[in-house]
Amino acid sequence: MKAKTLQFKTFDDNTLWNNLKDGDEKSFSILFEKYYTDLVRYGNSLSPFAEKVQDCVQDVFTDIWVYRNGLQNSVVVKAYLLSSVRKRIARLHERDRIFRKATSTDTIAFLLEFSVENDLVDDDYATREKVVHLNKLLNDLPSRQKEALYLRYHQGLTVEQIAEMLEVNYQSASNLLHRGLLTLRKEWKGSFSLIFLLSLTAC
């Protein structure tokens, strides 16, 4: 896995994107392999139906290839892919009537459970107890705050990109992040940086 990660880092997303727009199948395959797992994991956070999520992710890549000539020249590839998966799952919810019929993605609940790994932090019993408490605080946050934190600290998206994905303005996205962090900071008294711990959470 580490070797594959290093291999992917040698390829610039913008170069791969522009190459696939020109019909380069290898660049398309590299992007697919690079992001497929992350996209499925994110899709699973929005829908409990794993097979349908995988279909949605594959459909996103299929559309990218079929309609490659009409793609924008300059995009943040990771943000574009995550947003595309989110929109497709929203349409899936609407079509299958799993949730109430919606015209936007703001009704999707974020389903993943956060878990800061104890063994990545400390062997100290008191610290481990605090981490258990932090996990509970994270998972008790409102769905939109959890998703915003996930996109910011797991996927590395900017506030602007999060706002676009969640179909809200910049200030609303910033507020989601701020409120989530504020709730956690009120309770977290450990020696480790809260941002550091968020980067270690496994979903």
Side-chain angles (χ1 to χ4, degrees):
M1 181 62 70
K2 287 185 178 179
K4 182 175 288 188
T5 300
L6 290 173
Q7 177 187 2
F8 287 151
K9 287 183 178 179
T10 65
F11 297 98
D12 175 74
D13 279 1
N14 290 331
T15 300
L16 293 171
W17 183 259
N18 288 320
N19 286 346
L20 84 83
K21 277 174 53 63
D22 292 335
D24 181 34
E25 294 183 12
K26 182 178 180 181
S27 294
F28 173 79
S29 297
I30 291 172
L31 281 176
F32 180 88
E33 291 180 28
K34 183 176 182 180
Y35 288 116
Y36 179 79
T37 299
D38 279 347
L39 294 174
V40 168
R41 183 180 297 115
Y42 178 57
N44 287 334
S45 77
L46 306 173
S47 170
F49 304 103
E51 290 186 3
K52 291 184 178 181
V53 166
Q54 293 176 30
D55 289 342
C56 283
V57 173
Q58 291 172 8
D59 287 345
V60 164
F61 278 102
T62 298
D63 283 354
I64 286 175
W65 181 253
V66 171
Y67 301 110
R68 60 187 180 278
N69 292 329
L71 296 173
Q72 297 179 13
N73 291 324
S74 179
V75 299
V76 179
V77 175
K78 187 175 188 179
Y80 178 89
L81 293 173
L82 288 167
S83 180
S84 297
V85 169
R86 194 178 203 280
K87 290 175 181 177
R88 187 169 288 275
I89 288 176
R91 291 199 293 272
L92 178 71
H93 286 179
E94 179 179 348
R95 185 189 67 202
D96 291 352
R97 302 179 184 277
I98 298 170
F99 295 89
R100 66 180 177 84
K101 191 171 184 179
T103 57
S104 69
T105 62
D106 61 359
T107 58
I108 300 178
F110 188 75
L111 305 174
L112 284 185
E113 292 289 305
F114 284 102
S115 177
V116 179
E117 300 295 336
N118 288 327
D119 56 355
L120 293 177
V121 181
D122 204 313
D123 289 331
D124 179 69
Y125 177 78
T127 300
R128 292 169 69 90
E129 286 293 297
K130 290 177 182 177
V131 167
V132 170
H133 182 51
L134 177 60
N135 285 333
K136 184 178 187 307
L137 291 173
L138 276 166
N139 292 309
D140 285 345
L141 289 174
S143 174
R144 299 276 275 181
Q145 291 179 21
K146 282 178 62 177
E147 185 172 6
L149 289 172
Y150 171 83
L151 293 171
R152 183 73 181 96
Y153 297 106
H154 279 263
Q155 300 297 343
L157 271 58
T158 65
V159 178
E160 292 90 343
Q161 292 161 355
I162 294 170
E164 183 176 351
M165 281 193 62
L166 301 185
E167 298 183 350
V168 297
N169 59 38
Y170 178 94
Q171 189 58 53
S172 295
S174 180
N175 288 344
L176 286 171
L177 290 165
H178 175 73
R179 289 169 185 160
L181 288 172
L182 185 63
T183 299
L184 299 176
R185 283 172 175 153
K186 284 181 179 178
E187 299 291 338
W188 176 248
K189 307 298 181 184
S191 58
F192 285 90
S193 162
L194 183 58
I195 301 302
F196 170 71
L197 289 177
L198 283 172
S199 71
L200 294 180
T201 52
C203 295

